[in-house]
Amino acid sequence: MCSEHHISGTEGICPICHQQMERIKPTICYCQHCKQNYNEQYVCPLCSSALQQIKGCGAINYICRNDGLISTSKVKFHYLPISGE
């Protein structure tokens, strides 16, 4: 089953079975196939550090402490399994 954290690179795709996941909360996804909840994190493609997501006026932007504004198309999506659920 889904046990370790992985970077899928693609938003909403399960890192284990590669199927589309269901978004159940703003940063929580559920994989129907693996029966696992995942915490979604955003990773900088340049330095691999965590990104901050900023929403405003219908737009979503990602900021890296080291590299500044990161294009939405370049963001890597990192999914950590949530245990005990």
Side-chain angles (χ1 to χ4, degrees):
M1 189 164 291
C2 309
S3 61
E4 296 182 13
H5 64 87
H6 299 276
I7 296 177
S8 83
T10 306
E11 183 176 12
I13 301 298
C14 178
I16 303 299
C17 71
H18 309 288
Q19 299 295 314
Q20 183 69 44
M21 293 189 285
E22 174 186 353
R23 187 166 303 278
I24 57 174
K25 293 183 181 176
T27 60
I28 305 293
C29 294
Y30 177 71
C31 178
Q32 297 255 356
H33 301 278
C34 295
K35 308 292 186 221
Q36 175 69 50
N37 285 328
Y38 288 94
N39 185 18
E40 181 178 68
Q41 297 181 340
Y42 320 106
V43 178
C44 178
L46 303 173
C47 69
S48 297
S49 66
L51 296 175
Q52 180 181 3
Q53 184 185 64
I54 300 172
K55 295 181 181 181
C57 299
I60 299 175
N61 294 300
Y62 298 90
I63 305 290
C64 176
R65 289 185 214 192
N66 302 317
D67 300 305
L69 185 64
I70 302 296
S71 170
T72 302
S73 65
K74 304 273 188 217
V75 172
K76 300 294 181 191
F77 294 88
H78 188 133
Y79 295 95
L80 293 173
I82 300 172
S83 59
E85 290 194 11

